[in-house]
Structures are given as C-alpha cells and as structure tokens.
Amino acid sequence: MCGRYTVTVTMEELMLHFMLGNSFQYSPRYNIAPGQWIPAIIGSEAADQRRIGELRWGLVPHWSKEEKGGAQPINLRAETVAEKPSFQQLLTRKRCLIPADGFYEWKKSGNAKQPVRFIMKDQSLFGMAALYDTWIQPDGGKLHTCTIITTEPNPLVAEVHNRMPVILPREAESLWLDRSVIDAKKLIPLLQTFPEEQMRAYEVDRKVGNSRYDEADCIEPLQSLW
C-alpha cells in the first residue's frame, strides 16, 4: 500500500519538471495522507498540454450510489487494474499523475513500526501513476477523486513493505497522460516496478504516523538504510 507521501518543492519547480500549462494555489506538503486534497496532473489529446489541479485521495467512482457507502480505495493493484471492466474504463479514460518527491512505508521494529522515506538518489521529483473519476453529488455538485496504482516492490522497498507505488519514468509520462490512447494493452506495460538503483531510503521520526502533522521536520533523516 502507498498510504503517505511528500511533495516539498515549489509550484515553479512542479511546472518546470512536468511541463505544466497552468499553476494553482499550492504549498509544499511533508505528510500527505488519504482523504486529503492532493495535487494531480491531467493530460489531454495533445501531448504537450498538461494541467495541474486538486483531487481528493480515495476513489469514489462515478457508479457509486453514495459518497460514503462503499470502499474508497487509495490504491489499486497494477496486476489486476484491467481485469474488472469498471476499472478498465478508468484505465483507458481517466489517467493522471500524482507528483511526489518521496513516499513513506513502515517497517516492523520490535513491537513498534518505524517510518521510512523513499526518495530518488538525486532527490528529484517523480510522477506516480494514478486513476481518477468524478462522482455527481445529490445536489449536482462534482466530487473529483483519485487512487494511486501500486505494484511489486523493488529489493530496496521490499526490505520494508510488499508493495510500492508505480513510479513512471520520465519517458513514459507523456503516453500515460495522452488521452487519445485508449488501448489498455499499450498502458499495462508502463505499470512496472521502478529500479532500486535510482532510489535510496532513510528512517524518519515516528511523528509522521500522525496524519495531522505536516511540517518540514517530517522528512529529516534519522538513519540511512542504503
């Protein structure tokens, strides 16, 4: 499961890295949790047109009878996302990128769990593959939500957890965001495990476990793992 992550850069850095065509009111985030509104990037049929906005993390698909009546998955498995026709429709029509510069997982440490942050070795931004949908509220309003796709972990992450988010290589982002691509067979191969040699990990303070705590010291290292 990918249940916490960070995006700590400026709006200008996001726009430059992901070649965005717009900006929005944004502040760096150090401990993003499910149920919160998060930055998300959506493409168009023109590969060079990308827009950023906010989606709520925890999918409420358009076919839900009520907003809180069923599961609101924060993650979907890459291995099965195309098996159910309902989610396959999202895969072919409602793809987005979640910008991040790190994610957290918890490893067992005796009777406690120690949070670990995973980042790129060069500390660069990356995009996590995600799906979104729009649910129509009873009053006619629209609720836009999303879910992050996960896959098998690389050996670095596997030391801590049995899943990791799908991190798309830069060269795969345009295809993932291209709304003219509706063939699942072209998309499924993108949902691969990201190479461990490009990543590193370190322990952080257990205060990260408090989803209401979102301060810069969340990402300060306690101890490097690899």
Side-chain angles (χ1 to χ4, degrees):
M1 183 180 72
C2 173
R4 296 288 177 83
Y5 75 96
T6 65
V7 56
T8 66
V9 300
T10 64
M11 185 70 241
E12 289 74 18
E13 289 174 287
L14 282 174
M15 292 181 68
L16 180 63
H17 182 91
F18 291 104
M19 299 180 291
L20 301 176
N22 73 310
S23 64
F24 78 118
Q25 189 172 358
Y26 155 86
S27 298
R29 304 282 299 279
Y30 304 93
N31 190 16
I32 300 174
Q36 298 175 357
W37 289 89
I38 63 175
I41 298 167
I42 296 173
S44 69
E45 293 188 5
D48 60 346
Q49 294 181 14
R50 301 176 178 180
R51 298 186 62 81
I52 190 168
E54 283 191 314
L55 300 172
R56 198 178 74 184
W57 189 9
L59 185 70
V60 181
H62 68 271
W63 61 83
S64 296
K65 293 183 178 180
E66 54 184 350
E67 178 183 345
K68 298 181 180 180
Q72 297 183 26
I74 64 170
N75 297 145
L76 291 178
R77 296 173 65 91
E79 299 89 338
T80 58
V81 68
E83 291 182 358
K84 294 183 178 180
S86 53
F87 289 121
Q88 186 180 44
Q89 182 183 27
L90 298 186
L91 176 64
T92 57
R93 302 284 185 178
K94 298 289 184 72
R95 302 183 301 276
C96 62
L97 274 181
I98 305 300
D101 56 12
F103 63 92
Y104 300 108
E105 290 295 355
W106 277 254
K107 68 171 183 175
K108 292 183 178 180
S109 178
N111 294 325
K113 291 185 177 181
Q114 173 63 48
V116 177
R117 185 174 184 238
F118 295 89
I119 62 174
M120 297 294 120
K121 281 186 176 178
D122 62 2
Q123 302 185 50
S124 62
L125 280 161
F126 54 87
M128 299 185 290
L131 304 177
Y132 73 97
D133 206 357
T134 300
W135 185 75
I136 305 301
Q137 300 168 316
D139 62 1
K142 296 180 179 180
L143 176 64
H144 306 289
T145 63
C146 66
T147 182
I148 295 172
I149 301 175
T150 66
T151 189
E152 293 290 326
N154 61 37
L156 178 73
V157 180
E159 291 286 334
V160 178
H161 202 269
N162 63 359
R163 303 293 294 175
M164 69 177 292
V166 171
I167 298 171
L168 293 177
R170 292 289 294 275
E171 62 271 18
E173 292 175 355
S174 292
L175 177 58
W176 182 255
L177 291 176
D178 188 345
R179 295 174 66 180
S180 69
V181 178
I182 58 174
D183 185 351
K185 292 181 180 179
K186 294 182 178 180
L187 300 166
I188 291 297
L190 302 180
L191 305 179
Q192 302 296 317
T193 300
F194 196 79
E196 68 166 326
E197 58 268 20
Q198 298 183 40
M199 300 177 65
R200 61 178 290 260
Y202 63 89
E203 296 180 359
V204 295
D205 195 282
R206 290 176 181 172
K207 67 181 67 175
V208 171
N210 179 0
S211 62
R212 296 185 297 275
Y213 191 81
D214 187 10
E215 301 295 337
D217 60 353
C218 285
I219 65 173
E220 292 180 1
L222 296 181
Q223 176 179 319
S224 181
L225 294 182
W226 299 276

